[in-house]
Amino acid sequence: MIQTPYLLFLGDAPDQLAAKVAQGIRDWRPENAVGQLRLPGCGADVKVPDMDLAAAKAAGAKTLVIGVANRGGVISEAWKEVLIEALGMGFDIASGLHNLLRDENDLMAAARVNGRTLFDVRIPSVAYPIANGKKRSGKRCLAIGTDCSVGKMYTGLAMDVEMQKRGMKSTFRPTGQTGILITGGGVPLDAVIADFMAGAVEYLTPDNDDDHWDHIEGQGSLFHVSYSGVTMALIHGGQPDALVLAHEPTRTHMRGLPDYDLPSLEALRDTALPLARIANPKAQVTGISVNTAAMGEDEALSYLEALEKRMGLPTVDTYRQGGARLVDALDAI
């Protein structure tokens, strides 16, 4: 088990989105976020105290969590000095990057010398089956996005929290490193061999009570040429009864792809729903979740109201407003 609380390492993250792992932990498990450690030039801030290693140790932090999700998931050489020093001071290190801690000889050596543990949460721990497409009992909801990093995980977490408050049967099912670090378990889906991804989602969302909802953490986007494959695995392996469209309206292009425009929400709806109905003919689009963090309050509320009128679906920012209206829509199915 990864020891809590955490020191969130933001390193030299160029912007706030690059620190989405740290931001997710801070927002959903604030009791585990003692502080943040930022290197010179860091463009992110998750609004917890800035600390060096000594201050974090004195504050009780036990694990340094690499809170950055950079393109390619690489452990930067610029981070190594801090990581090795952290191991020497008695911290464990946890990471969800594709570049594994255990593959870095200098980090492994420092961990051995100091009796510390390296946690690579993006390593599949189960021999997942190939998907069989058999219909499972229980209900499932999946947030799908116009782009990457638009709030799909926040949507699922917010809906799960709302259902728990109401005494409904609900489970959040993590499929990425941030969700796994928040909840302590899940499937690191983009590290699963492609042929087994849909089967891993079936494994993650097994038969359940008829009135139980699984909220499957969304990944990628059907319209993102780099990461569409993982989205397809979630759609077919998850067999969602409900799809929630997720969007960030201030983007000028797809994340990391300056030559690609974002699709409209209508295009996302009309592309995703037929694909979902291959595995679950009763699948429905039930709501829209919009990340309005870059907007002021009045602008955000006006945008949400206009979008709801245009699309004819309950439309909310789950971070500002919670997931109640999206849960109401599921409860009506």
Side-chain angles (χ1 to χ4, degrees), residues 30-324:
E31 68 277 11
N32 289 344
V34 165
Q36 63 185 7
L37 195 162
R38 299 187 287 172
L39 298 179
C42 180
D45 181 0
V46 299
K47 307 301 183 183
V48 294
D50 284 294
M51 295 182 175
D52 60 17
L53 292 170
K57 193 70 176 175
K62 293 181 171 59
T63 302
L64 182 148
V65 172
I66 296 178
V68 186
N70 55 21
R71 189 169 176 83
V74 177
I75 297 173
S76 166
E77 287 298 319
W79 304 348
K80 289 287 191 70
E81 183 177 347
V82 175
L83 301 183
I84 290 171
E85 184 181 357
L87 291 165
M89 292 179 64
F91 288 91
D92 293 334
I93 298 177
S95 170
L97 297 173
H98 285 296
N99 183 180
L100 302 180
L101 296 168
R102 67 181 64 180
D103 290 340
E104 299 297 315
N105 292 333
D106 46 1
L107 295 180
M108 284 292 291
R112 277 196 303 271
V113 167
N114 294 287
R116 306 319 306 166
T117 304
L118 303 178
F119 293 95
D120 287 302
V121 302
R122 214 174 198 151
I123 295 180
S125 58
V126 173
Y128 299 114
I130 292 176
N132 59 33
K134 292 180 180 178
K135 180 61 179 172
R136 306 186 295 285
S137 59
K139 297 180 180 180
R140 290 158 192 86
C141 178
L142 172 67
I144 54 171
T146 53
D147 194 7
C148 303
S149 304
V150 293
K152 298 182 291 292
M153 181 188 74
Y154 276 60
T155 301
L157 283 164
M159 295 175 76
D160 177 53
V161 165
E162 178 64 25
M163 284 192 166
Q164 299 285 349
K165 286 180 182 177
R166 298 185 189 189
M168 300 171 70
K169 298 175 185 177
S170 173
T171 306
F172 177 72
R173 303 293 189 181
T175 62
Q177 72 271 28
T178 308
I180 291 170
L181 285 165
I182 289 170
T183 65
V187 170
L189 192 58
D190 60 6
V192 175
I193 294 172
D195 279 358
F196 300 93
M197 286 196 298
V201 182
E202 290 184 350
Y203 174 91
L204 183 67
T205 59
D207 285 310
N208 218 314
D209 295 340
D210 289 341
D211 57 348
H212 178 279
W213 280 94
D214 276 339
H215 297 281
I216 307 170
E217 181 185 359
Q219 300 289 341
S221 169
L222 289 172
F223 291 83
H224 199 295
V225 296
S226 303
Y227 307 120
S228 56
V230 70
T231 313
M232 277 299 308
L234 285 161
I235 290 173
H236 285 166
Q239 296 181 0
D241 299 275
L243 296 172
V244 175
L245 309 181
H247 183 54
E248 202 281 84
T250 67
R251 301 270 176 97
T252 57
H253 58 77
M254 300 291 282
R255 177 77 170 159
L257 299 175
D259 296 328
Y260 285 80
D261 295 331
L262 267 71
S264 67
L265 283 160
E266 289 88 348
L268 176 61
R269 176 197 63 201
D270 295 343
T271 301
L273 190 55
L275 293 172
R277 285 179 171 169
I278 293 172
N280 183 353
K282 295 182 179 180
Q284 302 176 41
V285 176
T286 58
I288 302 173
S289 176
V290 183
N291 177 353
T292 64
M295 296 178 168
E297 183 76 12
D298 291 343
E299 181 187 11
L301 293 176
S302 177
Y303 179 85
L304 294 170
E305 183 179 354
L307 183 58
E308 179 162 337
K309 184 176 181 180
R310 185 181 106 202
M311 298 290 294
L313 292 165
T315 301
V316 301
D317 181 326
T318 55
Y319 188 72
R320 290 181 189 260
Q321 301 168 315

